[in-house]
Each structure stands twice: as structure tokens, then as C-alpha cells.
Amino acid sequence: AYGRVEARRTLDLRLPAGGTVQWVSDAFRDGGEIEAGEKLLELDPVPAREALDLARADLAEAEGAAAAAVAAVELATEDLAAAEKQTELRRQALERQVDIDAQGAGSPQAVETAELAVSSSEQAELSRKQALAQARERVDQTAVAVTRARIALAEAERRLADTVLVAGIGGRIEGALVVPGAIVTAGETLGRIVDPTSLEIALRLSTAQFGRLLDPTGDLRQSPVSVVLPGLVETVPLPGRIDRTGAAVGEGQTGRLVFVTLDAAASGLELLKPGDFVEVVIEGATLPDAVAVPATAVGQQGTVLALGPDDRLEEVAVEVLARQGDE
């Protein structure tokens, strides 16, 4: 059969952020070999660094406001304690004026003055409680502001890191056309990494051919295969094995799509490239008690002409186990 080489591991290269390309690796070009984690491209980091500095300043400001809010709560607490103590003292003074008035030595005016002092002190105490509640609310608000500032700082750090493009996997570069000074947008495809050591072959077989690859239970045999790239002189067949079948036939297609996995340690694997059309020789199951005859020797009713007794021709019913080419 004939199939097409495909890469099992490919990675599109994109940057989450846009900007002006400042530096490009010499390996970042068509056919360039790279390793996982290698730096490929860098955008102008100045805008991202400025945004990071602003985020740090905002965080410092938010943390300062949070510290001031905590200090304000402490002062408001002390102020409330002083107001409560003053209220208690004025209540004691009122009790003394009431006792003196009961003994006939005081005056109603003195009692009334003490009552007004207690009322004024209670009003001041209430104001201090409201101030303390507002100070505590301010602490919560500044804590939220600090959290938001930290999130903004982390995002700014990520944006700065996103100005550098790093290879996620090792392999060869395909479709790289970026040069220093170019302006790229966020999410733009800048190239692709193809892992040349992880290849497979997709080949479409007829339904009859596919049926020969099934075992008696109807499961696909993991049959060994040999792969040859036509046109190469003295090419050694590459070993592989049938891996799986496609989930669907495909619109406008017939037969079955079968995938062959190549041995990653095979010598000569580097000769294959994704997109190559190759010849695949599949070892089918052994057909016991069978003979190969020309396809034209078998009639439409599944019979052949055989030489019988007295050298006479007679029709003999046969079972066609497989068809291949003209046999």
C-alpha cells in the first residue's frame, strides 16, 4: 500500500503578547534543529518592563495604604477606650450628685449638669465606635486593593516573560519567517516545531484489504510492516507496526484509514519527512491450505476449471481467501 508520512508531535509557535521583534535565534529558520527549552525569539521588553514597574509601584502604594489603615484601627481603638473611660467617670460623678441631692445638700442644677455631661460623653463614645467601624472597613478595602495589585503585578511579570519565545519540544523548525524589527501580533503563528523522531504513516486501504488485517475476533492485528521511500538508492526498509485505525471514514472517502507507527530507533528514520509518500509492505496473516492463482482463473460464481478424471475439465467450487494485484 501507499501512505503519507505524518508527524505525531508538532507544536505551533505563538506569543501571547504582541510587539516588535528585537532578537531572533540563528536556529529559528526553516530546517533549524532546536532543543526543548531553547530560546528562539525575543520581543522588545521595554513596554512590558514599564508596565511591571508601574504594577510594583501600585502594589507598594496599596501596601502603604493597608499599613496606614491598620494603624488607624489601633488609634481608633485607643480613642474608643478613652471615651468609654470618660463616660464611666461622668456616670460616677452623676451618681455622686444624685446622692448629695438626696441628702439635701445638692441642687437640681448640679444633677442636671452631670446628666448632660454623661449624655455628651455617651455621644462622643458612639462617634468613636463609628470611627472604629469605618477604620476596620478601610482595612478590608485596602486588603482587597493589595490583592488586586498583587494580581496585576503577577500579570505584568507574565507579560514580560511572554516577550520571550521558548521551544516547548525539540525538533526542526518549519515555516519560520520572522526577522528582527518585524511587528507581530498576539497569538500570531510564527512557525512550527516538528519532532522528526516521532513519525507515523497514514494509509488508506480498501475494505477488502482492511479485512485481511483483522484477527478472528474482528480486532486489528498489530502486524509488522516495512516502509520504503521510493526514489532513494539502496534504501533500507524501515520497520514499523500497525497501530490503530481511523475513527471515521471521512467525507468523500472509502475504505479504512490505518496508522502505522515507525520504530524510533530505526536507522534511516531521518530520511523521512512529514508529507512524504512511501510504500508500505504489510505482513498479512498466513493463509493455510491455499494456493495463488491468476485472478482471471476464478469465475464469477467462485469456481475454477480443474482437470478431472479422463483429462476432462470440470468446475470446482473454491473459497477466495484474499486478492492481491492480479492474483
Side-chain angles (χ1 to χ4, degrees):
Y2 291 91
R4 186 175 182 268
V5 178
E6 297 180 352
R8 298 181 62 181
R9 298 181 68 215
T10 61
L11 179 64
D12 288 338
L13 299 174
R14 296 185 176 94
L15 281 172
T20 304
V21 178
Q22 177 175 278
W23 175 85
V24 178
S25 171
D26 292 337
F28 192 46
R29 54 186 176 178
D30 278 350
E33 294 187 4
I34 59 172
E35 297 180 357
E38 183 176 347
K39 182 179 176 181
L40 302 178
L41 179 147
E42 182 178 357
L43 300 180
D44 184 6
V46 172
R49 286 177 181 171
E50 292 177 349
L52 179 59
D53 292 339
L54 289 175
R56 287 172 177 168
D58 292 342
L59 176 59
E61 182 180 358
E63 290 176 343
V70 172
V73 169
E74 295 177 356
L75 292 175
T77 302
E78 295 177 358
D79 198 11
L80 176 61
E84 291 175 345
K85 185 176 181 180
Q86 188 175 12
T87 300
E88 182 63 24
L89 292 175
R90 290 185 176 180
R91 284 173 180 168
Q92 293 176 1
L94 174 62
E95 291 176 358
R96 286 195 299 270
Q97 289 297 329
V98 171
D99 292 341
I100 293 173
D101 184 61
Q103 295 174 5
S107 64
Q109 292 81 3
V111 173
E112 183 178 355
T113 300
E115 289 177 346
L116 290 174
V118 170
S119 177
S120 177
S121 181
E122 290 177 346
Q123 185 67 30
E125 182 181 343
L126 180 60
S127 298
R128 301 298 187 278
K129 288 181 179 179
Q130 292 177 346
L132 178 59
Q134 292 175 354
R136 288 174 176 171
E137 182 180 358
R138 178 61 179 167
V139 170
D140 295 337
Q141 292 175 349
T142 55
V144 173
V146 169
T147 301
R148 290 178 176 174
R150 287 175 179 170
I151 294 174
L153 177 61
E155 184 178 357
E157 291 174 344
R158 285 194 299 269
R159 288 180 179 176
L160 179 59
D162 289 342
T163 59
V164 178
L165 180 62
V166 178
I169 62 174
R172 291 192 179 96
I173 297 293
E174 175 190 355
L177 299 174
V178 184
V179 295
I183 298 177
V184 298
T185 59
E188 179 182 353
T189 301
L190 306 177
R192 176 180 297 177
I193 301 177
V194 178
D195 186 356
T197 63
S198 180
L199 301 177
E200 66 180 9
I201 298 172
L203 59 136
R204 186 165 295 277
L205 304 177
S206 66
T207 305
Q209 290 173 332
F210 179 77
R212 295 174 56 189
L213 302 179
L214 303 178
D215 59 19
T217 62
D219 295 329
L220 184 65
R221 288 192 182 95
Q222 304 296 309
S223 303
V225 303
S226 298
V227 179
V228 176
L229 181 61
L232 291 183
V233 180
E234 299 181 356
T235 299
V236 178
L238 299 176
R241 186 170 294 275
I242 291 180
D243 182 43
R244 66 193 187 280
T245 182
V249 175
E251 185 177 357
Q253 302 290 339
T254 59
R256 296 292 183 268
L257 186 64
V258 176
F259 294 93
V260 172
T261 300
L262 296 174
D263 187 356
S267 176
L269 187 63
E270 65 279 359
L271 298 176
L272 295 182
K273 306 291 183 184
D276 281 339
F277 282 90
V278 294
E279 178 181 325
V280 182
V281 179
I282 305 174
E283 295 184 15
T286 302
L287 303 178
D289 299 329
V291 60
V293 298
T296 55
V298 182
Q300 295 182 355
Q301 303 299 325
T303 59
V304 297
L305 293 176
L307 196 61
D310 300 329
D311 293 333
R312 291 180 177 273
L313 290 176
E314 59 182 21
E315 284 190 334
V316 178
V318 295
E319 179 184 0
V320 178
L321 301 178
R323 294 181 182 272
Q324 178 170 332
D326 294 331
E327 293 187 327

